[in-house]
């Protein structure tokens, strides 16, 4: 992220840098953290300035409402009301709606979540995504 070789990153890259470090700040978090800077070149920050930001986001407690919102959304696909949805439906949602993922990305995210019948216990899946638990890399 240090494009100038001065051991600093542009403040507009804070969000990208945090995401590269396996955190998931919202755009609102990023704007709040970097003081609303949106134009490249306005401010560059050192590692000493970045580390408190990293710690703030890394230690930010996940909102229980966020989990509940995801659960409600996934229940739409739970035909039998048993906490399980078809993996094919989840794959379709992840590759066709919103910020579309590639088939390879979906394979990595779903690794270990689909049972022999191709079903996903979505509560476990949501917990892994929200907690930022490592996703196994499929090769």
């Amino acid at each position: 992220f240090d494009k100038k070789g001065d051991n600093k990153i542009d403040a507009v890259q804070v969000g990208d840098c945090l995401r590269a470090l396996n955190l998931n700040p919202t755009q609102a978090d990023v704007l709040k953290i970097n003081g609303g800077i949106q134009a490249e070149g306005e401010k560059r920050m050192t590692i000493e300035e970045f580390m408190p930001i990293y710690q703030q986001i890394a230690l930010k407690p996940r909102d229980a409402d966020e989990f509940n919102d995801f659960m409600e959304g996934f229940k739409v696909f739970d035909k039998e009301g048993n906490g399980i949805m078809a993996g094919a439906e989840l794959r379709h949602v992840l590759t066709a709606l919103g910020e579309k993922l590639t088939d390879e990305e979906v394979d990595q995210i779903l690794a270990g979540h689909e049972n022999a019948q191709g079903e996903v216990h979505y509560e476990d899946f949501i917990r892994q995504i929200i907690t930022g638990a490592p996703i196994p890399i499929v090769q």
Side-chain angles (χ1 to χ4, degrees):
F1 290 93
D2 178 8
K3 295 178 182 177
K4 293 185 177 184
D6 61 356
N7 295 323
K8 295 179 181 180
I9 62 168
D10 199 295
V12 296
Q13 293 181 308
V14 169
D16 294 335
C17 193
L18 291 169
R19 290 180 191 97
L21 294 168
N22 205 27
L23 296 178
N24 194 21
T26 65
Q27 192 60 28
D29 288 338
V30 172
L31 289 174
K32 182 178 174 185
I33 287 167
N34 73 8
I37 295 172
Q38 295 182 358
E40 202 165 316
E42 275 187 60
K43 178 176 177 12
R44 294 184 56 76
M45 63 176 51
T46 64
I47 189 73
E48 290 81 10
E49 294 171 295
F50 177 78
M51 284 309 296
I53 293 169
Y54 173 83
Q55 291 171 337
Q56 179 183 351
I57 296 296
L59 298 175
K60 180 181 174 185
R62 294 290 183 163
D63 189 1
D65 289 338
E66 182 180 22
F67 175 78
N68 292 334
D69 289 345
F70 276 109
M71 285 294 291
E72 286 302 312
F74 276 74
K75 284 180 183 177
V76 170
F77 301 99
D78 183 359
K79 310 251 187 292
E80 297 178 21
N82 59 2
I84 295 173
M85 68 181 288
E89 283 185 305
L90 183 52
R91 284 177 183 281
H92 174 73
V93 168
L94 294 173
T95 58
L97 302 175
E99 190 173 327
K100 298 169 184 71
L101 300 178
T102 66
D103 289 332
E104 293 79 23
E105 290 169 328
V106 173
D107 288 343
Q108 287 181 349
I109 290 172
L110 291 181
H113 285 287
E114 286 183 292
N115 64 20
Q117 292 78 35
E119 300 168 326
V120 175
H121 186 271
Y122 57 85
E123 182 174 347
D124 294 340
F125 175 75
I126 294 167
R127 285 191 195 286
Q128 178 184 8
I129 299 300
I130 287 181
T131 62
I135 295 171
I137 295 176
V138 178
Q139 298 188 6

